[in-house]
Amino acid sequence: MKYCSECANPVELMVPAGDNRPRYVCTHCATVHYQNPKMVLGTIPVWERDGEVRVLLCRRAIEPRYGYWTLPAGFMENNETTADAAERETQEEAGANITLGPLFALLNVKHVHQVHMFYLATLRDLDFAPGEESLDVKMFTESEIPWDELAFPTIHTTLECFFADRARMLEGGSYGFHTQDITRPMRGDS
Amino acid sequence: MKYCSECANPVELMVPAGDNRPRYVCTHCATVHYQNPKMVLGTIPVWERDGEVRVLLCRRAIEPRYGYWTLPAGFMENNETTADAAERETQEEAGANITLGPLFALLNVKHVHQVHMFYLATLRDLDFAPGEESLDVKMFTESEIPWDELAFPTIHTTLECFFADRARMLEGGSYGFHTQDITRPMRGDS
Ligand SMILES: [Zn+2]
Ligand SMILES: [Zn+2]
């Protein structure tokens, strides 16, 4: 940020009176331009038949992490809820028809000013297809997950938590709600 | 937003190519200025002695909702986690020393482009005191809660969920994780 979005004069990075952090402050109209973390919303689309569980992943057609696999997810927009955003991204990136379940994971990615959230979701049919931001959309059993070709640490963590919960469910457990801080950096996760 | 924060030329509200929503786009450098929802983080500071549960509330010294009661909460900042933000706001507004518990509620307030989250917290001592943004800080039992003088619908909902869980805990239940969409408007909750 170089200029004030209200009056077009230059901004300066300074600590406003009564504050304790540097902010972009307009040198002319004194507007303080706050910057806040963003939410990334997605789903874990699940297809379960004959005791076999498959999860839908998308292969990214855009940077960062072109060609790597991800759960359908993207930035939450104004005028939608977290659930709206998760459903929209699943439709846009995977063309998938889902029934949304409960919130499954909330992951802080402090170093890129993001909070990632994933909802459980059930695929209603197999009529999915890659959207403009995906090269491919495919279902994977646990043993087929391309662990070394996942796009972001939050995808890795969410899938780990998901399959751990599934294993516990064989012994009568149920899905949990998972919160975690992601500190491992990964090329291109900004 | 009237001017581009990168080049100071006027912005126009338009749907960029390949997009489906109006955005502020620079007429000169073509930068698209996205606007995203913000997170508000807070705590439910609990003091429990001799089977009696009390919750700490702050009386707001700032607009909106000056003079009304709230749980300590405020906008999450860059370079902090949701838990960091909840602890910081509790310290800033109530001067309270807490041990943070699990995330308790996530509430969508779509019409003001906000997501509010509240963590459970245990007061470590009674050395709390109003910060600059509070007129007063006080503990309340369930029957003392000033339901008609609460600042925001999300405070109302979170306290309702909290005391409902407490009632269920008498019969062996435990705290849940609550998600809800807040649609009721309230004067000044923007
Ligand atoms: Zn200005
Ligand atoms: Zn520009």
Side-chain angles (χ1 to χ4, degrees):
Chain A
M1 151 157 271
K2 294 174 195 146
Y3 301 97
C4 177
S5 52
E6 293 306 307
C7 79
N9 279 281
V11 292
E12 259 175 32
L13 202 56
M14 56 175 282
V15 179
D19 202 339
N20 51 19
R21 290 169 190 243
R23 315 277 183 188
Y24 288 107
V25 180
C26 179
T27 53
H28 178 72
C29 75
T31 297
V32 181
H33 298 278
Y34 295 96
Q35 299 189 305
N36 300 90
K38 291 184 173 142
M39 285 170 276
V40 170
L41 264 293
T43 63
I44 312 165
V46 176
W47 180 257
E48 191 168 2
R49 284 297 181 279
D50 309 320
E52 187 101 78
V53 171
R54 287 183 168 78
V55 171
L56 195 76
L57 298 180
C58 306
R59 206 169 148 238
R60 288 172 66 83
I62 50 169
E63 294 293 349
R65 304 292 281 164
Y66 179 99
Y68 286 77
W69 291 92
T70 183
L71 290 163
F75 286 108
M76 181 177 170
E77 304 264 10
N78 279 354
N79 298 311
E80 64 184 2
T81 64
T82 48
D84 293 340
E87 279 204 87
R88 176 181 51 73
E89 290 291 345
T90 306
Q91 182 52 235
E92 284 179 7
E93 297 188 354
N97 303 310
I98 54 164
T99 301
L100 209 68
L103 190 57
F104 179 76
L106 184 146
L107 308 162
N108 277 280
V109 200
K110 187 170 76 166
H111 58 287
V112 292
H113 317 315
Q114 294 177 3
V115 175
H116 293 204
M117 299 181 217
F118 293 92
Y119 281 82
L120 288 164
T122 309
L123 282 167
R124 284 205 294 263
D125 53 53
L126 297 179
D127 295 338
F128 49 78
E132 282 187 14
E133 301 188 351
S134 306
L135 297 170
D136 195 4
V137 178
K138 231 177 99 181
M139 294 199 301
F140 296 86
T141 62
E142 182 175 7
S143 64
E144 293 167 346
I145 297 276
W147 294 103
D148 295 332
E149 294 164 45
L150 295 179
F152 307 108
T154 53
I155 305 301
H156 207 280
T157 299
T158 300
L159 289 172
E160 275 173 352
C161 289
F162 174 78
F163 287 112
D165 276 16
R166 293 295 310 191
R168 267 192 296 273
M169 283 162 72
L170 295 175
E171 292 148 24
S174 58
Y175 288 121
F177 169 62
H178 304 267
T179 57
Q180 206 165 302
D181 296 343
I182 306 289
T183 49
R184 41 179 165 172
M186 184 184 270
R187 177 167 58 90
D189 70 345
S190 61
Chain B
M1 149 158 274
K2 295 174 193 145
Y3 301 97
C4 177
S5 52
E6 293 306 309
C7 78
N9 280 281
V11 292
E12 258 175 32
L13 203 56
M14 55 174 284
V15 179
D19 202 340
N20 51 19
R21 289 168 190 246
R23 316 278 183 187
Y24 288 107
V25 181
C26 179
T27 52
H28 179 73
C29 76
T31 297
V32 181
H33 298 278
Y34 296 96
Q35 298 189 305
N36 301 90
K38 292 187 171 136
M39 285 171 276
V40 170
L41 265 293
T43 63
I44 311 165
V46 176
W47 179 257
E48 191 168 1
R49 285 296 181 279
D50 310 318
E52 187 102 77
V53 171
R54 287 183 168 80
V55 171
L56 195 76
L57 298 180
C58 305
R59 210 171 144 233
R60 288 172 65 84
I62 51 170
E63 294 293 348
R65 304 292 280 166
Y66 179 99
Y68 285 77
W69 292 90
T70 184
L71 291 163
F75 287 108
M76 181 176 169
E77 303 264 10
N78 280 354
N79 299 310
E80 63 184 5
T81 64
T82 48
D84 292 340
E87 278 204 88
R88 177 181 51 73
E89 290 290 345
T90 306
Q91 181 53 236
E92 283 179 9
E93 296 188 355
N97 304 307
I98 54 165
T99 301
L100 209 67
L103 190 58
F104 179 76
L106 183 147
L107 308 162
N108 276 280
V109 199
K110 187 170 77 166
H111 58 288
V112 292
H113 315 315
Q114 293 177 4
V115 175
H116 293 205
M117 299 180 217
F118 293 92
Y119 281 83
L120 287 165
T122 309
L123 282 166
R124 284 205 294 263
D125 53 52
L126 297 179
D127 294 339
F128 50 77
E132 282 188 12
E133 300 188 351
S134 305
L135 297 169
D136 197 3
V137 178
K138 232 177 97 179
M139 294 199 301
F140 296 85
T141 63
E142 182 174 6
S143 64
E144 292 167 346
I145 297 278
W147 295 103
D148 295 331
E149 293 163 47
L150 295 179
F152 307 108
T154 53
I155 305 302
H156 207 279
T157 299
T158 300
L159 289 171
E160 275 174 351
C161 289
F162 174 78
F163 286 112
D165 276 15
R166 292 296 310 191
R168 268 192 296 274
M169 284 162 72
L170 295 176
E171 292 147 25
S174 59
Y175 287 121
F177 169 62
H178 304 268
T179 57
Q180 207 166 302
D181 296 344
I182 306 289
T183 50
R184 41 180 164 171
M186 185 185 269
R187 179 167 57 88
D189 68 347
S190 60

